[in-house]
Amino acid sequence: MKEFFPRRGLPNVIQKLENRETVTIVYFGGSNTRSKGYRVMTADWLRGQYPHADIRSVNAAIDGTGSDLGCARLETDVLRHQPDLVLVEFVGNDGGVPESKARIEGIVRQIRKHSRFTDILFVYTVKERDLTSFQSGEYQKGALMQEEVADYYGIPSIHLGVAVSQLVSEGKLIFTSRADVSIPGAVIFTHDSIHPTIPEGHQIYTDTITRSFKKISELRDHVGKVEHHLPQDPLVPANPWEYATMLPLDRLTHFSAGWSYVTSDDFPLVREYEWLFPGLWRAVDPGETITVQFEGTHIGLFDIGGPDSGRLKVTVNEGEPFLIDRFTSYNDHNRNQYVFLPELPNGKHTVHFEIDHEKTDKAAVFEAVGNERSMEHVRQHPAWYDQTVIQLGKLLLVQPPL
């Protein structure tokens, strides 16, 4: 299996590195990118290779997020830095859903509309559940979808699972083992089947990326600045995701009286998430509402969930109400999360969110996934869980032209 597909390469960023210019690399993805692993290690390697270039590395990764949120936050978190290279890593969190292809294309088209001279690189991380397919000679489903986008736009890609799978087959790597276990002669790749150990596991990712970068550099035609193509027609017909955006909630939202806007000055939780949100819209009582009027195909909420989270009753265009629970099986602690409502016909919509009076059986949520530790947390802190709090950070919209 090939680990590297060069396609049209990275002509512009390599030229700037060789010319000793300032280069901005934005690392855009989920938790594997956010951690101080291959992101830090590849930037350090580049600084060693090009000591006279001014290499600026931007961490634009958010734990537990996929390409759908990526499309919405691209302008805020990536494009405002005027990147020379955007490294895109969403295969793990997208999980192979069919919509991933459209969303990844939405990211590419937004970058290309912003600048035809920004280089893009796809990297595909690997989970233990992907190992069987790799050892059968097949890439994971999500990577295959992104490869269609890469082919269409000439974007180079690196399959990080190829080297990992090979090392497993050679007995040189144990994919998952407890942190308190060491195995002589073998690298422990993860402790949780998903996130590589630092530095050992991430060094394998780094070596694969740097090996591929050398090949890209060797293959480069010295033809000066290259303008990347942006086909008029998207690969995915009628793809709306290049029109995704992320807005402050009060731009389009009407709040009932029980909502308050809290900042780091008056609410400790906001200090923890200030890197995502300048403040949070917060309500605690059932019956409190927000109403959003917008034009487009998708609406979503970027919020903070925790043990105290409630659920929202949603009504779209006065249709039948349905529930979205802002408490999840991960919420034995506070964490950033988000949700998109199902796709709507492109047009004008009114969406009404109301904090539901009924409470989720939170212990049952943990029990359903077999999480005894979290079930014990409910028993120890019943008052914390017996609440219906909603804490909203941003509004997510997809708004193609009507």
Side-chain angles (χ1 to χ4, degrees), residues 217-258:
S217 184
E218 291 165 4
L219 291 168
R220 183 171 74 90
D221 293 326
H222 294 265
V223 294
K225 205 170 184 181
V226 173
E227 185 172 359
H228 295 295
H229 73 298
L230 177 63
Q232 182 174 350
D233 296 325
L235 173 66
V236 178
N239 187 356
W241 284 94
E242 66 182 278
Y243 303 101
T245 188
M246 184 168 70
L247 299 174
L249 269 128
D250 54 1
R251 186 84 61 87
L252 296 173
T253 305
H254 173 76
F255 297 88
S256 63

Side-chain angles (χ1 to χ4, degrees), residues 370-402:
N371 192 333
E372 178 57 42
R373 181 181 60 82
S374 296
M375 290 163 62
E376 179 59 28
H377 195 253
V378 177
R379 289 190 285 269
Q380 291 176 355
H381 305 280
W384 193 4
Y385 285 87
D386 189 27
Q387 298 182 63
T388 56
V389 176
I390 299 293
Q391 301 176 121
L392 305 176
K394 294 282 187 178
L395 188 65
L396 309 173
L397 297 173
V398 180
Q399 298 183 291
L402 291 173

Side-chain angles (χ1 to χ4, degrees), residues 172-248:
K172 297 176 181 177
L173 183 146
I174 306 299
F175 202 100
T176 303
S177 182
R178 296 198 321 265
D180 59 352
V181 173
S182 62
I183 300 171
V187 171
I188 304 299
F189 188 62
T190 78
H191 298 313
D192 63 1
S193 81
I194 297 171
H195 301 97
T197 52
I198 299 175
E200 297 87 357
H202 269 279
Q203 188 63 57
I204 296 167
Y205 277 180
T206 301
D207 291 344
T208 305
I209 294 170
T210 57
R211 188 163 58 238
S212 299
F213 199 92
K214 287 177 182 177
K215 291 177 185 174
I216 293 175
S217 184
E218 291 165 4
L219 291 168
R220 183 171 74 90
D221 293 326
H222 294 265
V223 294
K225 205 170 184 181
V226 173
E227 185 172 359
H228 295 295
H229 73 298
L230 177 63
Q232 182 174 350
D233 296 325
L235 173 66
V236 178
N239 187 356
W241 284 94
E242 66 182 278
Y243 303 101
T245 188
M246 184 168 70
L247 299 174

